[in-house]
Amino acid sequence: MKVIIAAAGTGGHINPGIAIANKIKEKEPDSEIIFIGTDRGIENDLVPRAGYKLKTVEAYGISKKISVKTLKNNIKTIKGFSQAKKIIKEFAPNVVIGTGGYICGGAISGAHKLGIPTVIHESNAYPGRATKFLNKKLTKILLGFKDAEKYFEDKSKLVVTGNPTKVKEEKFTKEEKTNILKQQGLNENLPTVLVFGGSQGAKAINDAMIPLIKQKKNSKYQIIWSVGPKQYEIIKQEFLKDNIEIDKIENAKIVPYIYNMSEIMNSVDIIVSRSGAMTITEISLVGKPAIFIPLPSRSANRQVDNAKVLENLKAAKIILNEEVNSENLSKSIDELLQNPEELKQMGLRAKQIATYNVEEKIYEEIKKIVK
């Protein structure tokens, strides 16, 4: 099988594409798979690291705002449609799969014009505009959450598969968990809180975490904190203002990005994060209690909708982006850690929405439409 996967911008778009690619390779080792992305996103790190070739095009999304910058970006994006179509024509895939990012518009449109089957995977509980816009050009729409079905009038193309992810539940022995924490320079006897804001980091979360750590509010627990590659140096300098070296902070491991996320998620006690669709999926799979700080959106509160899926099950708490600070975040963590039995029950409730064999289901759906 020859496959093109269009994914760009964030780990929440790229990692599902890699998970799908890995399953296709597992089933059909002779398959040829390439990715289409941009030259500025984290796909430039994650895709080659996973062993796949990345082709880049220009894509910024079409903006209605009038300015010199948006006009230039709109022109580049339109040019990117032609670039994507050229790549597709030359590679001649059996199917083009979109897993997120502005790149999907050009890739799906180009494939449709060339008569190539197209699939998009919509990971959110509230579908993005791109999925609705591309509806008529899609052969099949795969959904991460059943809640998303109600937003489509024509349900003939819909298949609920769940969200593909590299994160899986892993049952570590006490010794294995101890070794994982020691590799992070942490203590196996303290509760561990994982903090991250998605692959790019999240300023609101980072701004709340800095004083929390400076004031040593985490004296009774330890933190693994992924701040985002672009924010790491800024935060490093922020700590240096108080003569604190970022890699010598007690009870804290601060990194730009976590590559072994499955291993880390399975080793911690609480997760503090944004509530992107992939994060919700991963937390439900590993069965961990969570505190969500949803990314706000002008057009639709997708991350709030995602977070409420677990909040409604009493598996998570929500602190709104505009309200989060070191005081209420610290208080929320402390309250959860004071009740180990409730923590355990929250984790079990999170598992109620876990979907298994997702990549297998997606592979089967792709095989149905491949010529």
Side-chain angles (χ1 to χ4, degrees), residues 93 101 105 132 238:
K132 295 176 182 177
E238 186 62 37

Side-chain angles (χ1 to χ4, degrees), residues 100-304:
Y102 295 132
I103 193 67
C104 288
I108 297 296
S109 297
H112 178 72
K113 287 179 181 178
L114 294 167
I116 296 167
T118 55
V119 176
I120 205 162
H121 183 275
E122 174 54 64
S123 59
N124 288 291
Y126 185 96
R129 285 182 295 176
T131 303
K132 295 176 182 177
F133 174 74
L134 294 167
N135 194 1
K136 293 181 180 179
K137 299 177 181 180
L138 290 163
T139 311
K140 192 160 288 190
I141 301 171
L142 308 179
L143 302 177
F145 294 104
K146 189 171 178 61
D147 296 40
E149 284 183 319
K150 61 179 177 281
Y151 297 104
F152 295 89
E153 289 184 16
D154 179 9
K155 294 180 171 50
S156 62
K157 299 177 181 180
L158 305 181
V159 181
V160 180
T161 59
N163 285 323
T165 172
K166 296 188 292 183
V167 171
K168 308 295 178 190
E169 183 182 21
E170 300 178 63
K171 298 287 188 182
F172 293 128
T173 64
K174 185 178 180 180
E175 184 180 356
E176 287 172 332
K177 183 179 175 181
T178 295
N179 287 336
I180 291 166
L181 293 174
K182 280 186 175 179
Q183 286 170 13
Q184 303 298 318
L186 298 175
N187 185 340
E188 71 274 17
N189 297 316
L190 281 177
T192 307
V193 179
L194 169 63
V195 182
F196 65 99
S199 58
Q200 304 301 316
K203 190 175 186 302
I205 296 176
N206 290 348
D207 286 348
M209 287 298 299
I210 291 169
L212 187 154
I213 290 177
K214 281 186 176 182
Q215 295 165 23
K216 298 185 178 181
K217 293 181 179 181
N218 63 315
S219 60
K220 295 181 180 179
Y221 60 90
Q222 57 196 353
I223 295 166
I224 300 175
W225 176 20
S226 174
V227 302
K230 293 181 180 178
Q231 296 191 48
Y232 182 78
E233 284 300 322
I234 296 170
I235 290 168
K236 182 178 179 180
Q237 294 304 315
E238 186 62 37
F239 279 113
L240 280 174
K241 289 178 183 178
D242 293 287
N243 297 316
I244 300 170
E245 293 185 42
I246 198 168
D247 55 354
K248 294 182 180 179
I249 299 173
E250 188 177 7
N251 294 346
K253 175 70 172 180
I254 304 173
V255 297
Y257 186 82
I258 296 172
Y259 291 100
N260 58 330
M261 186 58 89
S262 185
E263 194 175 64
I264 296 298
M265 275 192 166
N266 278 281
S267 303
V268 303
D269 299 284
I270 298 173
I271 294 172
V272 177
S273 68
R274 290 298 199 197
S275 49
M278 298 314 302
T279 300
I280 299 292
T281 299
E282 291 162 356
I283 286 172
S284 69
L285 285 169
V286 299
K288 298 293 179 179
I291 298 169
F292 291 125
I293 299 97
L295 176 70
S297 172
R298 293 178 183 176
S299 57
N301 288 320
R302 290 189 189 89
Q303 289 211 1
V304 173

